[in-house]
Amino acid sequence: AGGSGLMVDRDWIYDSSATETLVPDDSNWTDESRHPDTSLDGGTMFDLNMSILALRTAPFSLRGILGFKSDSWSWSARGGAYTYSNAGFRDTAGTFGNDEKAIEYKQTYSIPYLGVGGNWSTRHFLMDIHLLVSPAIWASSEDYHNMRDMTFEGDYFGGLYLGLGLTATWAITHWWAVTIRGEYQSMSGLTGDMTVTTPENQYHYPDGGGVGMNALMYSLGTSFRF
């Protein structure tokens, strides 16, 4: 857990009697809030996989990968500014208090995947790379707006998952080694049903929501062998 960033929360609300259905994009939103003080409250990553050796020709090897992963991330946004469409299009603007918690947001992904990996190794160096892919993503999101006491909950399936990882390890001495690792993953193209809960009522919108995520993670570590 930890880190900070910017949350931009956008909604698209249209007149149900309109003859033409507009496709949401980054320019035609009706309600937006921006929160520069956004914290990553927590993240968990669970990954279980099996590798099958396909080819070994020193110093190279190639393997197939079968696995399942589950990721969960949550954020909190405080303060910031908003532009809403109340009586007209984007007719209301204002700010939140600096320490006022405005939005709590959470995403969860469950993904079975296939992949391929390979490594190149010598006595003092090891490089490993893998590529993962899946056309079947189960995802959910929970978007809680504190000031209006409203919760937006979505359930999604489909999309495309891509994962690319690179690990490099140097054996500095017989006992010490240093490892650098980078991991990129993309979950995109998911749509699903949205449930909106207010203090007065609950509303269900089939295919009324979408979710996605792109992430780049990196780490630096050291190990001691004895």
Side-chain angles (χ1 to χ4, degrees):
S4 61
L6 166 70
M7 179 184 291
V8 180
D9 186 274
R10 288 177 178 149
D11 296 317
W12 291 260
I13 302 174
Y14 300 115
D15 184 355
S16 60
S17 63
T19 58
E20 182 180 356
T21 300
L22 299 179
V23 177
D25 60 39
D26 281 345
S27 64
N28 62 7
W29 51 267
T30 56
D31 299 88
E32 178 190 83
S33 60
R34 289 178 169 265
H35 311 274
D37 183 9
T38 298
S39 61
L40 174 65
D41 297 331
T44 59
M45 301 175 66
F46 172 81
D47 195 326
L48 179 65
N49 62 71
M50 175 178 64
S51 295
I52 302 172
L53 184 64
L55 175 67
R56 175 177 289 167
T57 303
F60 303 98
S61 69
L62 184 68
R63 67 188 186 277
I65 304 171
L66 173 65
F68 175 84
K69 71 191 312 292
S70 179
D71 293 358
S72 179
W73 305 94
S74 59
W75 298 266
S76 291
R78 297 169 179 82
Y82 62 84
T83 301
Y84 294 155
S85 298
N86 289 329
F89 184 67
R90 301 180 187 174
D91 62 330
T92 304
T95 60
F96 302 108
N98 289 335
D99 296 326
E100 203 169 12
K101 185 180 288 187
I103 295 176
E104 297 174 59
Y105 185 58
K106 182 178 181 180
Q107 288 185 349
T108 301
Y109 297 91
S110 298
I111 308 168
Y113 62 82
L114 294 172
V116 61
N119 65 50
W120 179 71
S121 61
T122 66
R123 183 177 179 182
H124 299 289
F125 179 77
L126 170 66
M127 178 175 288
D128 186 275
I129 188 170
H130 64 259
L131 174 65
L132 310 175
V133 63
S134 174
I137 306 173
W138 284 267
S140 64
S141 65
E142 184 175 321
D143 184 6
Y144 179 59
H145 290 230
N146 295 55
M147 298 170 196
R148 293 185 289 169
D149 193 20
M150 293 179 63
T151 303
F152 300 78
E153 297 173 286
D155 292 294
Y156 319 93
F157 174 75
L160 178 66
Y161 164 72
L162 291 174
L164 178 65
L166 175 66
T167 302
T169 301
W170 290 268
I172 300 174
T173 69
H174 179 73
W175 299 278
W176 286 101
V178 174
T179 298
I180 298 176
R181 183 174 186 231
E183 185 86 21
Y184 171 79
Q185 61 180 15
S186 172
M187 286 80 85
S188 61
L190 283 88
T191 59
D193 298 345
M194 179 67 66
T195 300
V196 180
T197 303
T198 71
E200 296 81 21
N201 213 331
Q202 188 175 77
Y203 308 91
H204 184 68
Y205 301 96
D207 296 324
V211 71
M213 182 177 184
N214 295 304
L216 176 63
M217 294 160 282
Y218 52 88
S219 62
L220 173 65
T222 183
S223 59
F224 179 73
R225 181 175 64 180
F226 57 89

